[in-house]
Amino acid sequence: MKLYLAPGACSLADHIALHEAGFDFDRVQVDLKAKRTDDGRDYLQINPKGYVPALQFDDGQVLTENVAILSWVADQDPSLAPSGPMGRYRLLEMLAFISTEIHKAFKPFFNPEAGDAEKAAAADLIGKRLALLAGNMKDDYLFGDRLSVADAYLFVMTMWSRKNGLALPDPLPAFVARMKARPAVGMALEHEGLTEPVAS
Ligand SMILES: N[C@@H](CCC(=O)N[C@@H](CS)C(=O)NCC(=O)O)C(=O)O
């Protein structure tokens, strides 16, 4: 299995989730401007959408979209999803919110043509949406005392917030520290060159 990623991009969520689930997988870095993989292939032949993440299975099938990949990981390791009859739908609800309402709201920060007013409006919206999740956090993670694949996605959103100078509402700073202390997160960050090497 191969995960196509770009360092620090949203694919970091899938990278963390695959480590949390204990998968053995290859990482292929993608140059998103050139649409080339680091092993010299045309990325558009692998994922015609041209963006990361993409997860390629050993039979050649390619799965794209964070919501789909993270849901697939949670189906393989149900400990990474909330439990109960509504667990699967609560997870999808959370992933959809993070994807469409928070992830996409960062767009002006990735657009060199976006002006200050556009960025300020985006920062305000992101802050409100993160505050909504933060206010509903009852324990260490989004769904309680156990990590889910949605926490990996939220973690990437917190990293992007910090990178762009956006304040994190409480208790998200403590959540970030908790996530960074997890071996799976440390491994993913290290592999993406985003931190000092970690033990294990
Ligand atoms: N809808 C996609 C969006 C993925 C996405 O926004 N990927 C960004 C990195 S975070 C990317 O590859 N952008 C490069 C491009 O669109 O050319 C998903 O949720 O998986």
Side-chain angles (χ1 to χ4, degrees), residues 6 8-11 14 32-33 35 43 49-53 64-67 69 99 103-104 110 153 156 160:
C10 51
S11 45
D14 312 271
L32 290 171
K33 282 208 175 78
K35 308 294 177 199
Y43 184 56
K49 291 173 177 169
Y51 49 67
V52 290
T64 63
E65 302 297 327
N66 283 293
V67 173
I69 297 172
S99 173
H103 177 170
K104 283 297 148 189
F110 296 114
Y153 205 175
V156 178
W160 289 0

Side-chain angles (χ1 to χ4, degrees), residues 1 14 16-23 68-83 87-88 91 146-150 182 184:
M1 188 161 61
D14 312 271
I16 291 170
L18 287 169
H19 277 310
E20 288 286 356
F23 278 107
I69 297 172
L70 292 169
S71 300
W72 180 84
V73 175
D75 280 351
Q76 310 314 302
D77 180 353
S79 76
L80 295 174
S83 48
R88 182 178 170 74
L91 180 65
R146 199 162 42 79
L147 173 128
S148 75
V149 292
R182 296 183 70 91

